[in-house]
Amino acid sequence: MQNLKNTFPLLQCLYAAWLQRRRNARMRAELLGLEGRELADLGVGRGELEFLLLHKGD
């Protein structure tokens, strides 16, 4: 029973990480789909997108 108790938090952590990856992928696809003018309205250049997406939590 102890092994099951130790496994459950690990599964929760893995599931949360998987959900975050899915959110990040959707956000990336949406931002990359914007036109140059739309990005300029946001104050972001196309070349900055990857950097911003990688460092959004910093």
Side-chain angles (χ1 to χ4, degrees):
M1 191 57 132
Q2 187 64 25
N3 284 341
L4 184 58
K5 289 180 182 178
N6 290 338
T7 304
F8 188 66
L10 175 64
L11 292 176
Q12 285 179 316
C13 183
L14 290 173
Y15 181 67
W18 178 73
L19 286 176
Q20 187 61 45
R21 280 185 64 103
R22 287 186 60 202
R23 279 189 225 106
N24 290 347
R26 281 195 302 266
M27 184 186 330
R28 182 179 187 275
E30 188 171 334
L31 287 171
L32 289 175
L34 294 177
E35 294 182 11
R37 282 191 176 156
E38 294 169 317
L39 290 173
D41 288 344
L42 295 173
V44 177
R46 188 160 302 279
E48 298 172 283
L49 283 179
E50 288 297 328
F51 177 82
L52 292 172
L53 289 169
L54 289 173
H55 297 92
K56 67 180 172 61
D58 297 343

